[in-house]
């Protein structure tokens, strides 16, 4: 192989802008304790972690704590948290669950379940929402209201979502109004997710019309990112190689980790637009070139194609963010055992005289959670690896030889 | 003595009159008039009646001191958390062969080991896939994840590739799971219950291992890890069924809205549409559910003992929160069962096909039940076990038939069961073993394993004709998974069926289910089957309309015809299907089923449908758009079923237009009283006042309904309430008591003088006197107080003083306490003082006031003991009062606490010297009144747990501790609940159920108390209702024998309850003065009359099923002109026939017996035959104790060819 050894420190010309920690009002700072509160949309997020990973990597300086308090089937009234008691007790539990975390930021996602009550239930929902927000006021947390997602039309025999979507929009609008009146941050997930759902090329985001798949969470992490006013990180770059094909080593350029790679259940052939890294490479002599990074074959193209820009499969350098996401998921799982332990009836409930002695185990999850959070704090910062990657352009005929 | 003198003869010279022509003595066929010995009771005004027979057993009338032990063995089905299974020092050798050799297997069967550890550990649920591989959900993390532990539970797949009956390949399909409690293969992988989620695990690359995980549903509760989502099973309809148990609260989001289920139940789910519904509600821990050949559902319950439950769609079962009405199981008194499989196939002997197998994992048994059709529903009869053993670790929890026609049993293998009672971290908990046993019929060929996966569609369709349920089930699964491309072949297959094939209708039904599985509507086939000859096929087809009605042209027409079908089950299915159609006409059609005989299941179905559709039809009725075709009976049923306020006005209209049949008037009026406003209550009140004297019973119950209306809702009839007083002219004490109570509640000053008069009257019932005193107290004022205080003073008889003291507690607690101590000081226990203590204990400050009054006073020891027991029956602590009573009574009581060596010593003695037969006598002794609260096999009190299998499940140390320290560990659902009412009273009992409006408690004396929710100020959990100190009166030997007896219950041996249908719960006629008087005045035959003067008390057969004669209350009659006397007892039992026909009643001997069926003489012989109508029947025996020594054993048997179904009534 005759590739030319030419190592250069390159000046990066980033086509996009590096993110700022605070954009258009939303931001997280060192020491923030973020609660996710809501229904299945929130509850299932913890098992994939894409939303939380997005926030962790975007706000990567300092110590942040995320607590997922989602509960399937929940409403602003605390229906799903009632346990053996009444809805009023469920609401009381909701209040205690949130306040025990001492949150500084609360993401609130309700309305999907309530929306089945249609127009007639709207006023009741509004009242419930206001009571909830009033109840959470003493936490002094910054609150972010999330609209419900649209229902996706996955064809028959699943239901036609048209009618339900009218209601979902109504409830989303009610949330927007309340947010506006109270000066809270509002995230409209409905419109941008509906746009995604309309684009067949992106593949379905749900498997039942209403609940995101892991791919759905991966996709909507960017929706949420954008809706929070965070400009997407564009890590495409341009390099002028001058006279000859060459090798070069470069340091990961970002101050923010890239998005995690799409999950395995991402439908084949979907557009990854917005997530890719494009490299434009000027100065290559005519011919076909293979780009290898760290010795791995990445892409081939003519000099003209390279000059115009080629999309790189970024999987080779996504280890860190994927590790971050897995830690987040693991942390969420441990925290779930902490705040929603199994056998509550015996540990804390009316049969605690039988197994209450074991309830001492439950706080033992706290140090385990904290340990993972310390790792998460490190992993979310791209600076920690400082790994330089070796880029290599190899003329095609040389490869064939 | 003139035999014709009959009832006119003097009480001193009675004769016995027989039916019809003459008079006869009992058991001797001669005309011998008998005179009681020593003398008949004198009945005079003002005399306190005493018990004529020196019989300590006649406890309901004559309470002897020991009898008033509130002896409740409530704690007896639990283990103490720390010390449970302490005697379990020998963990059994885990060698599977040792376990196998311990099995006692039913004749004709043998057991082999299919798989064992280390291939698998802790199997929980298993299901076969269509290839014949066995999928197993297993958990080593159960019962609770430890901090730092990795949740690594597994789904494994076992294969028997060589067909040797042993697993030869194991694949871990998935790991990393958290307590997966169910697995059902399908849709390219398997559905798995994974704590809060139902997930689908798929193997997309054929590597045999799950590589994709999808959350299908989430939001299942996990409040108890043996209650979480379980029992996954495909139905014949292509829907996935799964269960949850009593502590679980699930909130599941679906594209159709949130589905919530708090408590137990069975879910029904169609994955491709995401439609999720609750199929049945309730149960305690329903770990078994299967469908029979005709698609009917049967469930078992691992924590509630009613054997097999017939599950009708939408019904509620025991423990359903808020249920106004529930469906009972088919085998009351049967122990608890886990897993369930209905047998089929050529490998098994014919008499086993269609049987239900399920597991008593506590008692180490695999149990067998035989189902038969019984009207709209089924009857179930328990037969001897398939497997039983005393091996302490054999824990059969799931059972399935396999592709080879053999029976497979999942053995969780654990010496420790349960995780409530035994510490999560108890080191003896087994986390590593597990077995799959395979049971085959000896000498019968196995079924060739069906090859369905690679078969042609034609071959798979032909498999729908297989005799094995396994094969047909999986053929449908395979067709479903092949999808709509099989439709043309399916249609052709149906067309090609041989019309002469005797099973053609069943083949067609399988095809219909295949269409349903594919969710493709096929109206033509449906219509054919709706008109099938076989009612079971018509019923199954009718159920399909439930799911297809929105896509059928004429669902109403189809269901209308089925609601009038010849078979009650078809009618029942139609009635339930109509509940799914939200049109007011649907309820009209459903009510047509009332025009045919209605058994209790059909009645339930109609009731449920009327309620479920209320929001649809009630507005139509109110708007005049619904008329039930002018059929008042139909309208009335629907209105009574909903029982809502909306129903009141139409009901009032019906009553006023005279359209309500006389025999239903009372229930309609009671409903109006319960729901109506003041004006409507006035109508009820008017009717009570106008009723003629023959309707005293109706008057009393309607007055009670009015009382409830005032107490619960604060509503009184409009108009002049003082008219109530006119009813006091009645000579009936019951009616007068009801009037006085109500008059007090209504504060009718006009009747005050009447209350005075009753309170002071000499000859008056205790109840009327008490009511009068209490009403006086309610009216209050110095005059009342003075009168009550006077009656509570030393001049009155003790009984009157006690009643007055009780009444006075409402008016002046400290004066009441002072007078109470006075009367208690002089009282013996001849008149039970419990109620006096209770009157103080149910009032705020009552206990404290009594403590103050007791200072420096002495009470008789027995009275003080009763006081302590009354305190303990409240479930609350009143240490000051207990101390005061101990002091006053000069007692040395306190719980007997055994040190660990003492306990070990006692266990050793129990095992070595304990005599279970003597222990049974102790258990049955009335002064222990164990049976007052505990049943064995359903016979006995219902306050505490049934003890039929207690010995098989409970270790000896905890039996001892449960008797000595009942509060140490209390069985689930047996904690007492203490309710503080807004009236300032405390009520204590076991919660039975809670509806929208009231809480129902079972009190320590086995009475149900309904407390209106509105009246409840606060509620708290109490301890066991079983008082401590129960064993104080036992000698050490007696205690040792008693525990030994309990420890033998349910174990293989003489103390295991027989499968024969034996009468275990009897009633014996109490020899009250009234009974003597009646029998002497008229004849023995009066014992079978329903004369209210007769009082029947409970008595029970022993575990072996024989009623010992010494359990009976006896009458002594002097022989004429002789100093000798004859001893007699009268005993009766009840049988309910659900399908009419002949049954046999087998007696061990007829010596000394005279028999009646429903009050008519019947020939007492060893082999009696009764022709029963579908209703309740009473069999009564007179037992001449001079002629009979052996106990009475009666068995209900079938008569060959008879369609009769009857069951023996158990209970308290």
């Amino acid at each position: 192989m005759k590739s030319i050894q030419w190592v250069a420190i390159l000046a990066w010309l980033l086509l996009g802008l590096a993110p700022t920690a605070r954009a258009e009002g939303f931001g997280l700072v060192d020491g923030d304790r973020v609660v996710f509160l809501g229904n299945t949309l929130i509850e299932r997020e913890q098992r994939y972690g894409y939303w939380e990973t997005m926030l962790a990597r975007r706000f990567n300086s300092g110590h942040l704590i995320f607590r997922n308090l989602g509960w399937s089937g929940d409403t602003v009234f605390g229906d799903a948290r009632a346990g053996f008691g009444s809805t009023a007790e469920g609401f009381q539990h909701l209040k205690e669950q949130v306040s025990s975390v001492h949150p500084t930021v609360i993401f609130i996602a309700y309305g999907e379940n309530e929306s089945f009550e249609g127009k007639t239930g709207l006023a009741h929902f509004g009242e419930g929402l206001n009571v909830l927000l009033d109840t959470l006021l003493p936490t002094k947390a910054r609150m972010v209201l999330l609209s419900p997602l649209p229902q996706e039309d996955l064809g028959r025999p699943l239901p036609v979502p048209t009618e339900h979507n009218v209601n979902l929009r109504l409830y989303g609008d009610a949330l927007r109004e309340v947010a506006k009146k109270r000066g809270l941050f509002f995230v409209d997930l409905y419109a941008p997710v509906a746009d995604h759902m309309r684009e067949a090329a992106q593949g379905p985001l749900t498997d039942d019309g209403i609940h995101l798949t892991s791919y759905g969470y991966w996709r909507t992490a960017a929706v949420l990112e954008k809706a929070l006013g965070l400009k997407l990180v564009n890590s495409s770059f341009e390099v002028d190689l001058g006279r000859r094909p060459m090798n070069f080593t470069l340091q990961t350029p970002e101050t923010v980790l890239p998005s995690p790679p799409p999950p395995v259940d991402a439908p084949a052939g979907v557009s990854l637009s917005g997530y890719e890294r494009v490299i434009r490479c000027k100065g290559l002599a005519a011919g076909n070139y293979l780009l290898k990074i760290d010795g791995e074959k990445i892409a081939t193209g003519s000099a003209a194609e390279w000059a115009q820009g080629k999309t790189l499969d970024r999987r080779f350098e996504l280890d860190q963010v994927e590790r971050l996401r897995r830690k987040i998921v693991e942390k969420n799982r441990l925290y779930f055992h902490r705040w929603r332990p199994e056998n509550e009836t015996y540990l804390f409930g009316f049969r605690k005289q039988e197994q209450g002695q074991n309830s001492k185990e439950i706080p033992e999850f706290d140090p385990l959670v904290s340990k993972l959070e310390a790792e998460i704090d490190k992993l979310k910062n791209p600076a920690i690896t400082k790994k330089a990657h070796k880029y290599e352009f190899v003329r095609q005929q040389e490869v064939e030889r | 003595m003139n035999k014709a003198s009959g009832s006119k003869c003097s009480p001193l010279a009675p004769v016995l009159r027989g039916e019809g022509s003459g008079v006869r003595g009992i058991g001797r066929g001669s005309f011998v008039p008998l005179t009681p010995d020593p003398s008949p009771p004198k009945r005079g005004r003002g005399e306190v009646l005493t018990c004529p027979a020196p019989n300590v057993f006649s406890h309901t009338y004559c309470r002897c001191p020991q009898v008033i032990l509130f002896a409740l063995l409530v704690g007896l089905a639990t283990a103490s958390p720390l010390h449970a299974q302490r005697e379990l020092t020998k963990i059994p050798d885990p060698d599977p062969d040792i376990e196998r050799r311990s099995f006692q297997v039913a004749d004709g069967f043998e057991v082999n080991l299919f798989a064992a550890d280390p291939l698998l550990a802790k199997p929980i649920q298993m299901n076969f896939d269509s290839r014949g591989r066995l999928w197993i959900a297993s958990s080593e993390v159960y019962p609770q994840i430890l901090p730092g532990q990795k949740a690594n539970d597994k789904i494994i797949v076992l294969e028997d590739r060589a067909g040797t009956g042993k697993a030869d390949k194991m694949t871990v399909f998935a790991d990393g799971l958290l307590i997966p409690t169910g697995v059902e293969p399908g849709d390219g992988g398997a559905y798995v219950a994974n704590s809060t989620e139902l997930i689908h695990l798929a193997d997309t690359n054929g590597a045999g291992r799950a590589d994709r995980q999808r959350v299908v549903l989430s939001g299942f509760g996990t409040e108890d890890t043996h209650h979480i989502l379980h029992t996954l099973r495909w139905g014949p309809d292509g829907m996935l069924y799964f269960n949850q148990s009593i502590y679980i609260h699930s909130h599941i989001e679906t594209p159709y809205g949130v589905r919530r289920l708090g408590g137990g139940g069975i879910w029904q789910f169609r994955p491709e549409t995401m439609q999720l519904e609750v199929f049945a509600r309730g149960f305690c821990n329903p770990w078994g559910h299967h469908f029979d050949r005709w698609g009917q559902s049967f469930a078992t319950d691992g924590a509630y003992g009613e054997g097999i439950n017939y599950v009708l769609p939408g019904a509620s079962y025991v423990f359903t929160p808020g249920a106004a009405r529930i469906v009972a199981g088919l085998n009351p008194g049967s122990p608890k069962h886990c897993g369930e499989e209905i047998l089929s196939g050529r490998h098994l002997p014919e008499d086993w096909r269609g049987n239900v197998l399920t597991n008593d994992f506590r008692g180490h048994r695999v149990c067998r039940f035989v189902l038969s059709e019984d009207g709209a529903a089924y009857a179930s009869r328990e037969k001897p076990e398939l497997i039983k053993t005393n091996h302490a670790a054999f824990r059969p929890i799931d059972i399935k038939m396999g592709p080879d026609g053999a029976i497979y049993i999942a053995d969780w293998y654990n010496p420790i069961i349960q995780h409530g009672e035994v510490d999560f971290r108890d080191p003896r908990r087994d986390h590593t073993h597990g077995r799959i046993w395979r049971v085959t019929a000896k000498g019968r060929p196995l079924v060739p394993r069906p090859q369905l996966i690679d078969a042609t569609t034609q071959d798979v369709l032909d498999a729908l004709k297989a005799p094995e349920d396994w094969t047909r089930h999986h053929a449908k699964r395979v067709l479903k998974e092949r999808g709509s491309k099989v439709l043309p072949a399916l249609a052709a297959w149906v067309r090609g069926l041989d019309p002469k094939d005797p099973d053609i209708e069943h083949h067609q039904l399988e095809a219909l289910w295949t269409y349903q599985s594919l969710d493709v509507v096929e109206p033509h086939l449906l219509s054919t089957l709706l008109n099938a000859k076989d009612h079971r096929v018509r019923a199954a087809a009718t159920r399909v309309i439930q799911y297809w009605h929105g896509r059928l042209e004429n669902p109403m027409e189809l269901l209308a015809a089925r609601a009038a079908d010849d078979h009650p089950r078809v009618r029942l299915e139609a009635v339930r299907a109509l509940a799914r159609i939200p049109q007011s006409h649907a309820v009209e059609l459903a009510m047509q089923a009332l025009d045919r005989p209605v058994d209790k299941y059909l009645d339930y179905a109609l009731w449920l449908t009327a309620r479920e559709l209320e929001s649809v039809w009630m507005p139509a009725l109110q708007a005049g758009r619904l008329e039930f075709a002018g059929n008042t009976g139909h309208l009335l049923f629907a209105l009574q079923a909903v029982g809502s306020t909306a129903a009141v006005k139409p009901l009032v209209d019906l009553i006023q237009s005279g359209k309500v049949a006389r025999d239903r008037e009372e229930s309609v009026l009671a409903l109006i009283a319960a729901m109506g406003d003041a004006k409507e209550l006035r109508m009820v009140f008017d009717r009570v006042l106008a009723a003629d004297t023959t309707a005293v019973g109706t008057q009393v119950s309607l007055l009670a309904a009015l009382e409830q209306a005032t107490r619960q809702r604060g509503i009184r009839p409009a108009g002049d309430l003082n008219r109530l007083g006119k009813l006091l002219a009645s000579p009936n004490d019951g009616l007068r008591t009801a009037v006085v109570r109500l008059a007090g509640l209504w504060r009718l000053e006009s009747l005050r003088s009447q209350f005075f008069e009753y309170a002071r009257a000499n000859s008056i019932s205790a109840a009327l006197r008490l009511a009068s005193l209490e009403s006086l107290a309610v009216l209050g004022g110095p005059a009342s107080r003075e009168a009550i205080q006077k009656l509570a003073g030393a001049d009155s008889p003790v009984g009157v003083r006690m009643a007055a003291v009780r009444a006075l507690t409402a008016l002046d607690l400290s004066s009441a306490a002072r007078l109470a101590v006075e009367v208690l000081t002089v009282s013996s226990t001849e008149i039970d003082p419990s109620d006096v203590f209770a009157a103080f204990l149910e009032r705020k400050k009552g206990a404290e006031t009594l403590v103050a009054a007791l200072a420096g006073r002495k009470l008789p020891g027995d009275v003080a003991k009763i006081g302590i027991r009354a305190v303990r029956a409240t479930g609350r602590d009143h240490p000051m009062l207990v101390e005061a009573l101990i002091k006053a009574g000069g007692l040395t009581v306190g719980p007997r606490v055994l040190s660990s060596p003492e306990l070990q010593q006692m266990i050793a003695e129990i095992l070595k010297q304990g005599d279970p037969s003597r222990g049974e006598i102790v258990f049955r002794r009335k002064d222990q009144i164990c049976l007052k609260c505990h049943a064995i096999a359903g016979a006995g009190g219902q306050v505490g747990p049934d003890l039929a299998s207690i010995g098989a499940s409970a270790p000896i140390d905890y039996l001892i501790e449960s008797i000595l320290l009942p509060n140490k560990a209390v069985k689930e659902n047996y904690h007492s609940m203490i309710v503080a009412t807004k009236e300032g009273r405390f009520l204590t009992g076991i919660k039975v159920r809670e509806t929208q409006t009231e809480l129902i408690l079972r009190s320590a004396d086995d009475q149900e108390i309904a407390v209106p929710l509105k009246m409840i100020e606060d509620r708290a959990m109490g301890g066991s209702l079983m008082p401590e100190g129960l064993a104080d009166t036992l000698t050490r030997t007696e205690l040792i024998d008693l525990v030994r007896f309990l420890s033998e219950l349910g174990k293989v041996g003489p103390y295991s309850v027989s499968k024969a249908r034996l009468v275990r719960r009897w009633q014996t006629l109490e020899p009250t003065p009234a009974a003597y008087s009646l029998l002497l005045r008229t004849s023995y035959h009066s014992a079978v009359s329903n004369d209210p003067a007769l009082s029947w008390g409970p008595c029970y057969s022993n575990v072996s099923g024989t009623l010992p004669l010494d359990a009976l209350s006896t009458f002594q009659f002097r022989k004429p002109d002789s100093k000798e006397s004859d001893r007699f007892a009268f005993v009766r039992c009840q049988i309910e026939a659900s399908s009419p026909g002949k049954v046999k009643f087998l007696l061990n001997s007829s010596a000394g017996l005279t028999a009646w069926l429903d009050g008519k003489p019947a020939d007492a012989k060893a082999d009696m035959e009764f022709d029963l109508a579908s209703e309740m029947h009473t069999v009564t025996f007179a037992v001449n104790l001079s002629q009979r020594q052996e106990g009475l054993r009666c068995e209900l048997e079938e008569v060959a060819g008879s369609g009769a179904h009857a069951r023996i009534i158990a209970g308290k």
Side-chain angles (χ1 to χ4, degrees), chain B residues 1048-1097:
Chain B
E1048 291 296 323
L1049 283 175
K1051 282 186 185 157
V1052 178
Y1055 296 93
S1056 133
V1057 172
S1058 148
K1059 304 297 168 295
R1061 291 184 296 173
L1062 298 170
V1063 180
R1064 296 182 172 277
R1065 173 259 201 182
W1066 300 86
Q1067 289 178 316
T1068 174
L1069 183 63
E1070 300 299 347
T1072 57
Y1076 264 112
S1077 158
L1078 181 74
L1079 294 184
L1080 296 174
R1081 212 158 22 88
T1082 58
S1083 78
Y1084 272 25
H1085 191 82
S1086 300
V1088 294
S1089 69
N1090 286 323
D1091 195 304
L1094 298 179
S1095 143
W1096 294 80

Side-chain angles (χ1 to χ4, degrees), chain A residues 39-40 44 47 72-73 83 113 116 207-208 211 264 342-343 345-346 351 353-355 357-358 361 368, chain B residues 143-144 147 195 197 212-214 218 222-225 249 253 260 419-420 422-425 972 975:
Chain A
N39 50 35
T40 304
R44 282 197 201 168
R47 109 197 280 295
S72 280
N113 299 325
F116 283 97
D207 54 17
D208 60 0
H211 295 126
V264 286
E342 300 193 302
N343 284 314
T345 316
Y346 299 93
R351 288 183 74 177
Q353 81 286 355
E354 288 162 82
Q355 296 293 335
Q357 71 276 9
N358 288 312
E361 287 177 2
L368 302 175
Chain B
Q144 175 88 18
S195 293
E197 299 171 334
R212 288 289 164 87
Q213 188 180 112
R214 179 164 66 85
S218 60
T222 58
E223 291 92 331
D224 179 331
T225 49
H249 300 85
E253 294 177 17
R260 303 185 193 275
H419 65 271
V422 181
D423 197 288
F424 289 171
R425 309 302 175 205
E972 61 195 305
H975 281 85

